């Protein structure tokens, strides 16, 4: 599972932590703002209150268990040169190893790309690259940003509607490509 979401929704939905790559980090992990080289750690025992008047975090702010310096969420923000990507790098390595194992077995790969837009195309690029490298199929489900590379499929729908359509088509023995109209294919 590859996601640019930082909210751990896939883990909350039951996907094992070891099967998820969060390319932009996770709000459920912290890192030292001073950069004392402590790898990102779980924020599970950390509570941050927000002052509703100022919309700012209230004291006490989270701190690094190693050096006592201020801690921050382990997420990549725009223009962020201080993000500790070590946790995401480990996740990326696990995903790459799994994909390579599939390649070695000559497994048929289908990449489902749900709702990934064009404003921040991390997920789109990863999905297209994974499908291309594996010789697999890409099925993008997106109500607005429908472009896909030639020979791939886009269902112009929201995630639930698109997944439901695929499930219904498979139950009837149809190929998902039969569900896409001419606008669903790359140019």
């Amino acid at each position: 599972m590859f996601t640019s979401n930082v909210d751990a929704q896939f883990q909350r939905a039951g996907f094992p932590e070891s099967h998820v790559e969060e390319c932009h980090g996770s709000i459920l992990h912290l890192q030292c703002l001073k950069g004392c080289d402590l790898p990102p750690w779980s924020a599970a025992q950390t509570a941050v209150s927000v002052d509703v008047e100022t919309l700012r975090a209230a004291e006490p702010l989270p701190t690094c268990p190693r050096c006592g310096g201020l801690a921050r969420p382990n997420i990549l923000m725009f223009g962020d040169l201080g993000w500790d990507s070590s946790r995401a790098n480990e996740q990326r390595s696990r995903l790459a190893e799994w994909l390579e194992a599939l390649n070695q077995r000559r497994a048929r790969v289908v990449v489902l790309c749900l709702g990934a837009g064009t404003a921040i195309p991390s997920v789109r690029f990863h999905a297209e690259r994974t499908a291309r490298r594996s010789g697999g199929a890409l099925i993008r489900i997106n109500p607005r940003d429908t472009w896909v590379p030639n020979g791939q499929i886009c269902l112009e729908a929201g995630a639930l509607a698109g997944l439901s359509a695929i499930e219904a088509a498979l139950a009837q023995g149809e190929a998902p490509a039969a569900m896409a109209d001419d606008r669903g294919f790359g140019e």
Side-chain angles (χ1 to χ4, degrees):
M1 178 72 53
F2 180 91
T3 183
S4 62
N5 293 342
V6 298
D7 55 9
Q9 285 302 313
F10 289 105
Q11 293 91 324
R12 290 179 181 156
F15 289 89
E17 173 90 20
S18 63
H19 291 99
V20 178
E21 179 185 339
E22 298 158 304
C23 71
H24 295 155
S26 170
I27 196 80
L28 299 182
H29 288 80
L30 298 172
Q31 69 179 64
C32 181
L33 194 56
K34 283 185 169 180
C36 75
D37 293 329
L38 179 67
W41 66 91
S42 173
Q45 303 303 316
T46 304
V48 176
S49 304
V50 175
D51 181 327
V52 294
E53 297 287 322
T54 64
L55 298 179
R56 294 182 177 265
E59 299 284 341
L61 299 175
T63 57
C64 174
R66 178 179 285 165
C67 73
L70 194 60
R72 61 164 267 195
N74 181 234
I75 58 173
L76 175 62
M77 296 179 244
F78 294 105
D80 189 353
L81 300 177
W83 179 52
D84 180 344
S85 64
S86 60
R87 185 172 169 277
N89 294 343
E90 289 173 12
Q91 292 176 329
R92 182 176 303 113
S93 292
R94 281 196 307 266
L95 179 59
E97 288 172 12
W98 179 70
L99 289 169
E100 180 56 30
L102 291 177
N103 185 43
Q104 293 297 319
R105 292 189 347 236
R106 299 185 192 277
R108 294 174 57 184
V109 175
V110 174
V111 178
L112 288 174
C113 182
L114 307 176
T118 57
I120 303 172
S122 310
V123 173
R124 290 177 79 87
F125 291 164
H126 185 272
E128 291 167 12
R129 185 175 51 249
T130 300
R132 184 179 60 251
R133 287 181 179 168
S134 68
L138 169 66
I139 301 175
R140 175 166 290 136
I141 301 173
N142 192 301
R144 290 177 298 281
D145 299 324
T146 59
W147 184 89
V148 292
N150 282 332
Q152 304 300 338
I153 299 167
C154 185
L155 302 178
E156 192 172 344
L160 179 59
L163 290 171
S164 297
I166 291 172
E167 181 180 42
L170 291 173
Q172 294 176 15
E174 295 178 25
M179 299 180 302
D181 63 20
D182 290 335
R183 294 179 306 161
F185 290 93
E187 299 170 11

